[in-house]
Amino acid sequence: MTVRRAIRARHVLGHEAGGHVLLRDAEVVVEGTRIVSVGPPGAAGADEIIDLGAAVLVPGLVDLDALTDIDHTILDSWQSPELGLGLQWSRDYAAHRRRAVFDAEERAFIREYGFVQLLLHGVTTAMPIASEVHSDWAETFEDAVAMAEAAERLGIRVYLGPSYRSGVNVVDADGARTVYWDEALGIDGFDGAAKFLGWAADRESDLVHGALLPCRIETLSEDLLRKTAALAAESGVLVRLHALQGLHERALVLERFGAPPLRVLRDTGLLGPNLLIPHGIYVDSNPHVDSDLDEDVAALAASGATVIHCPLTLARHGSALDSFGRYLAAGVALALGTDSFPPDLVRGMDIGVTVAKILAHRPDAATYGDYFSAATLGGAAALGRADLGRIEPGATADLVAFELGDPLDGVHDDPIRTLCMNSTARAARFSMIAGRVVMRDGVIPGIDLPAMTRRAQRLFERMRAAYSERDYLRRSADELFPASFPIRRV
């Protein structure tokens, strides 16, 4: 017998006429995997009542560049250019000494640890991202299967596949940055990604969907780009490809293809509604791009491709989307991603709004409502899922509640602005995905978070030490990652 649950909260972010609306002291009734009613408490009847009190109940957040890793941003987002070179693979390492820092079981644990963190931060649908820096090349079919099985155990919905590439960014002995190519490894990785699409389709589960996730545009050959476009067109799956994210990327693509990244995406058949682009910032109108044109933003809008905006990660690396408001006004499809730790889209929204204000020199350059819509409706649209990202009858029952009763949140005004400005996604206390309660009172059933954290720390220490063997100057980890202040032993 299907249980009919009523979830009540002080604030509910409902849906009406294509957009979000705020409801006060409302109730969402769920039966099976679907929302059956939204309205005043007690109006629809229920077998079980879950009263969340002073919380804001929102659609589950959609993270399309979702960190599922032991993050490296704490190590590589603050170095000088000279130290930063040491964090890339050396050409010698790529050609002769590369190895996987973690074995398959450890990689599976790391991905599950990442999924747990996403759930704890209110993410219900994720497109995972993990670093290839610590692998011996890229992800495998077996890695993707392990991730899918972990997602099903935890109850998080994922769109995934193994990453693949035919090249890797390296540093030559003289300190120059180039790309080391191995096309055979790229084709092997593509074949594994194609195999996973079939595996995921056979699963027939709404928690696991296959997608093509090649690495970065500058590390894919033209042949691999075209193969990806052809397979996506044939299978109807999404493609996520990091592009338009750096000036070095742009220079490498111009050198190799004789054209800028956006044109390469178009010419290889990738640019279209099934393409998702993190981070999409270095277009021809960006003030740091050497171009007299202003055509790329309009081209992105016309293509139907989605830009996955990761404001927290961009800010940490000293860059920004210029600007969220301009892209939105031009009709560019926008979604959000985390891409670094913490996988906190709420904190990302606050950073994004703040950076937009700085760029425009005006306080209304972007709104928290715009960003919250990108994290819900924008992500759902990118996935082609009209049933996600909204709380209305007939929608899939993906619900997250953020507590607003903590005295440390201070005084309250609008609940969305209060959450984004005064709190973080760590206030997530309840999560339901497709009608299944996956977190309650901030606890995920069956997860020993302290034990996971202890193991993650041990793996992080090994990951940190491994940078030395890849550094083209073979410096120690303490040289590559100096402390914020001198350390004195006592």
Side-chain angles (χ1 to χ4, degrees):
M1 181 179 176
T2 303
V3 176
R4 192 176 173 94
R5 290 191 175 99
I7 300 100
R8 297 174 179 174
R10 177 76 51 81
H11 306 280
V12 172
L13 191 64
H15 192 78
E16 183 178 290
H20 293 317
V21 293
L22 279 165
L23 308 174
R24 182 72 182 266
D25 294 321
E27 172 183 273
V28 179
V29 178
V30 172
E31 190 168 344
T33 64
R34 298 283 171 173
I35 296 170
V36 295
S37 74
V38 181
D47 303 309
E48 178 187 354
I49 296 172
I50 300 174
D51 193 335
L52 300 170
V56 55
L57 184 68
V58 302
L61 302 183
V62 180
D63 184 346
L64 296 184
D65 213 30
L67 179 74
T68 46
D69 210 347
I70 295 176
D71 191 33
H72 52 85
T73 308
I74 198 170
L75 297 174
D76 66 8
S77 60
W78 45 267
Q79 275 83 0
S80 65
E82 192 276 330
L83 271 183
L85 285 177
L87 309 185
Q88 305 285 326
W89 286 15
S90 70
R91 178 170 289 275
D92 173 65
Y93 180 83
H96 305 296
R97 298 184 291 106
R98 65 176 183 267
R99 70 177 183 90
V101 176
F102 305 118
D103 64 27
E105 187 277 332
E106 290 167 335
R107 292 194 300 273
F109 165 79
I110 289 169
R111 303 300 185 260
E112 184 165 359
Y113 173 73
F115 287 152
V116 167
Q117 291 287 351
L118 290 167
L119 288 172
L120 291 171
H121 287 82
V123 172
T124 57
T125 299
M127 187 173 278
I129 180 71
S131 174
E132 294 86 12
V133 170
H134 316 294
S135 69
D136 54 1
W137 191 258
E139 291 173 327
T140 67
F141 167 79
E142 291 77 15
D143 288 335
V145 168
M147 293 173 71
E149 292 173 344
E152 289 184 322
R153 285 195 302 273
L154 292 168
I156 188 170
R157 183 183 298 103
V158 291
Y159 286 73
L160 60 82
S163 66
Y164 55 92
R165 59 183 175 181
S166 45
V168 59
N169 285 284
V170 296
V171 178
D172 292 327
D174 62 357
R177 292 181 62 190
T178 54
V179 176
Y180 172 83
W181 295 98
D182 191 325
E183 185 68 4
L185 286 176
I187 297 301
D188 285 347
F190 173 81
D191 289 343
K195 180 180 177 182
F196 182 78
L197 294 183
W199 184 93
D202 290 343
R203 208 76 171 172
E204 297 184 341
S205 166
D206 186 36
L207 292 183
V208 175
H209 300 265
L212 291 171
L213 308 183
C215 297
R216 303 162 61 114
I217 188 171
E218 77 273 22
T219 64
L220 272 74
S221 66
E222 181 175 352
D223 181 56
L224 204 54
L225 288 167
R226 292 187 182 278
K227 284 181 181 294
T228 299
L231 180 56
E234 176 189 337
S235 61
V237 302
L238 297 165
V239 179
R240 187 190 63 198
L241 175 61
H242 285 68
L244 307 167
Q245 68 170 331
L247 294 175
H248 182 62
E249 167 214 292
R250 185 177 177 90
L252 288 171
V253 171
L254 281 167
E255 179 183 357
R256 185 169 179 83
F257 292 95
L262 194 61
R263 193 181 309 164
V264 170
L265 292 174
R266 183 198 66 194
D267 292 347
T268 55
L270 281 165
L271 188 62
N274 69 334
L275 180 65
L276 283 60
I277 307 174
H279 300 267
I281 57 176
Y282 287 103
V283 294
D284 56 12
S285 60
N286 186 290
H288 299 286
V289 171
D290 184 13
S291 173
D292 296 325
L293 301 175
D294 186 1
E295 301 173 347
D296 285 354
V297 171
L300 281 169
S303 74
T306 297
V307 169
I308 305 171
H309 181 31
C310 305
L312 179 59
T313 298
L314 292 180
R316 284 173 163 174
H317 287 274
S319 58
L321 188 70
D322 191 9
S323 66
F324 184 89
R326 183 186 179 214
Y327 280 48
L328 194 65
V332 177
L334 290 164
L336 293 191
T338 50
D339 196 30
S340 65
F341 194 88
D344 188 331
L345 287 174
V346 173
R347 187 171 168 186
M349 292 179 214
D350 193 28
I351 291 291
V353 169
T354 301
V355 169
K357 293 177 182 180
I358 294 170
L359 289 173
H361 299 284
R362 51 184 295 171
D364 62 345
T367 71
Y368 291 104
D370 290 337
Y371 267 83
F372 217 94
S373 292
T376 50
L377 297 171
L383 298 174
R385 296 289 300 263
D387 62 316
L388 300 181
R390 66 200 68 205
I391 297 178
E392 66 178 358
T396 294
D398 285 10
L399 305 170
V400 170
F402 294 99
E403 182 184 0
L404 291 179
D406 189 333
L408 296 180
D409 290 339
V411 297
H412 294 192
D413 185 47
D414 172 88
I416 298 301
R417 281 195 297 270
T418 299
L419 173 65
C420 292
M421 296 182 73
N422 294 9
S423 186
T424 74
R426 292 182 184 182
R429 290 293 176 267
F430 172 88
S431 183
M432 171 182 281
I433 301 176
R436 171 183 169 186
V437 176
V438 297
M439 179 175 69
R440 195 157 185 179
D441 299 323
V443 175
I444 300 171
I447 294 299
D448 185 341
L449 192 58
M452 288 191 90
T453 304
R454 289 191 295 271
R455 186 178 184 192
Q457 184 65 39
R458 293 193 298 270
L459 294 174
F460 172 78
E461 298 296 340
R462 194 199 309 166
M463 182 182 90
R464 182 180 185 273
Y467 277 91
S468 295
E469 63 189 86
R470 297 189 293 264
D471 177 20
Y472 78 113
L473 296 178
R474 303 297 291 273
R475 287 164 287 192
S476 70
D478 286 342
E479 290 176 288
L480 291 171
F481 311 116
S484 298
F485 298 102
I487 296 175
R488 296 288 181 261
R489 306 298 179 191
V490 295

